Amino acid sequence: MLIKRREFLKISSLATASLMMPNFLKAMALDEALKPNQKILVVLQFTGGNDGLNTIIPTKNDIYFKERNNIAIKNSLALNDETGINPALSYFKELFDNGELSVMNNVGYPDPDKSHFRSMDIWHSASRSDEFLETGWLGRFLDEECYRCEHPTQALEVDDMLSLALKGENNKAFAFKDPKRLYQTSQEKYFKSLYDHHHDDETVSYLYQTLGSTINNADYIFEKSKSKKTDQIYPNSQLGKDFKTVASLIKSDINTQVYYLSVGSFDTHVNQNERQAKLFSDINEAVKSFVADLKSNGIFNDVLLMTFSEFGRRVAQNASNGTDHGTANQMFFISGGLKKKGLLNALPDLQKLNEGDLIYTEDFRKVYATILKNWLKADSSKVLGWKNGIYDFI
């Protein structure tokens, strides 16, 4: 079969969203569903370094207001006598009051890196700051748990490209932005003939066969996304659409246990409050619809939504009514199945800083170990090499 350069480029583009590995070159049994009541993890990445101090606000801390005389949040929604939450996250306040939200403050790692790319790699791979890994923490989870998995939908990322977090040594997640668009692309005539195509060149043949697998998975994901229509109204934002896609798949009998989404950018060097408020508003409304959807289908107790950002911001504002790259930050956990609710630990100590930056007290790898062991029922020591204990909030 001869193909034109334009068609080959389209094929290569589709391949970037697929899992390019030998395990997925065989025919796939597409009827493996999750076991009943199996826990599901949804990760929401705050890309760009969200400012945690203007997210969970120390309302009685004079240092906070002094260092941020122009951008301090003065109308936060009270969580307790000394703590508030950004007013754009009003639904998170409701979840907090209902015992459906936990907040881990001051999360970070030793010798923090302030580069977006490097710090995100550290969070994705669960590495030390002086260690460079080519696999992600959820990818290694797939390696440990999916040695018998028949197809690559145990973890899905709603994006055009697969993040490092979901890349394992032998297994990878599957990335797509929209089930319908992926399906329509896979049905074009040039793709339909790929599955049975053979080529003497091993690399080219591998590409064709991988894309044949992608076609099968595109059809599978699209059919599952249609199987459980929702009456829930979602916001028309991109994040709203992404959460609607995830909800439709969770309610189906697809075999997916991990979903991964991103929102941003939170790199607020200039006019931070306006940008952060817009992002928080989008997140607030999307999560509100998502949780309502889960609750109406009786599955909120079995789904955990976790948020993180690659770093926080510096304590003092800059001259542009923004903040520059910092260190420690908070993480949110939303579920009907939390064992401990509310603020899980103390707010950052603004009197003890490292050259203007927060000093972390909680290692993010301990959070990951907790998620893996207590929620996903995996061997966290094998996945992370972490043996320093876990938390008990789930």
Side-chain angles (χ1 to χ4, degrees), residues 352-364:
K352 294 175 63 177
L353 303 178
N354 180 18
E355 298 181 348
D357 288 321
L358 300 176
I359 300 173
Y360 88 102
T361 58
E362 313 300 327
D363 197 303
F364 77 99

Side-chain angles (χ1 to χ4, degrees), residues 174-193:
F174 190 88
F176 66 98
K177 193 62 177 173
D178 176 77
K180 185 176 182 180
R181 189 178 71 187
L182 177 67
Y183 174 74
Q184 289 173 337
T185 303
S186 73
Q187 297 305 299
E188 294 180 8
K189 62 179 181 178
Y190 293 104
F191 300 112
K192 290 296 289 181
S193 59

Side-chain angles (χ1 to χ4, degrees), residues 171-340:
N171 291 281
K172 293 181 175 65
F174 190 88
F176 66 98
K177 193 62 177 173
D178 176 77
K180 185 176 182 180
R181 189 178 71 187
L182 177 67
Y183 174 74
Q184 289 173 337
T185 303
S186 73
Q187 297 305 299
E188 294 180 8
K189 62 179 181 178
Y190 293 104
F191 300 112
K192 290 296 289 181
S193 59
L194 292 178
Y195 198 51
D196 296 323
H197 182 75
H198 301 282
H199 196 282
D200 291 337
D201 183 275
E202 182 178 352
T203 301
V204 176
S205 179
Y206 177 65
L207 174 64
Y208 282 127
Q209 292 173 347
T210 301
L211 285 162
S213 298
T214 300
I215 290 170
N216 274 356
N217 286 288
D219 180 68
Y220 177 56
I221 293 169
F222 181 52
E223 290 304 315
K224 293 301 182 185
S225 71
K226 295 190 304 178
S227 65
K228 297 288 185 179
K229 292 289 186 180
T230 181
D231 295 328
Q232 180 64 44
I233 298 174
Y234 281 79
N236 198 37
S237 63
Q238 184 58 60
L239 187 63
K241 295 174 183 176
D242 292 347
F243 266 112
K244 185 175 182 179
T245 295
V246 171
S248 69
L249 291 169
I250 289 176
K251 291 184 292 184
S252 76
D253 62 352
I254 198 170
N255 71 321
T256 306
Q257 193 170 11
V258 176
Y259 296 88
Y260 201 98
L261 306 93
S262 301
V263 62
S265 168
F266 281 93
D267 198 18
T268 51
H269 292 280
V270 178
N271 296 327
Q272 172 176 293
N273 287 7
E274 293 83 355
R275 177 62 180 167
Q276 194 181 42
K278 174 61 171 67
L279 287 166
F280 280 168
S281 178
D282 287 348
I283 293 166
N284 192 70
E285 296 309 306
V287 170
K288 184 176 182 179
S289 295
F290 180 63
V291 171
D293 209 349
L294 298 179
K295 285 184 175 182
S296 67
N297 286 273
I299 51 178
F300 184 47
N301 286 6
D302 295 320
V303 178
L304 175 67
L305 172 60
M306 179 190 87
T307 75
F308 82 96
S309 195
E310 68 263 38
F311 47 62
R313 318 294 291 190
R314 291 178 65 78
V315 173
Q317 70 174 65
N318 61 27
S320 302
N321 288 326
T323 52
D324 298 324
H325 299 180
T327 53
N329 213 337
Q330 76 271 131
M331 300 176 72
F332 289 123
F333 307 94
I334 296 171
S335 177
L338 298 173
K339 291 182 179 178
K340 286 191 175 181

Side-chain angles (χ1 to χ4, degrees), residues 361-376:
T361 58
E362 313 300 327
D363 197 303
F364 77 99
R365 290 165 295 183
K366 186 173 180 179
V367 177
Y368 286 178
T370 303
I371 301 293
L372 289 165
K373 183 174 182 179
N374 289 358
W375 196 259
L376 297 178

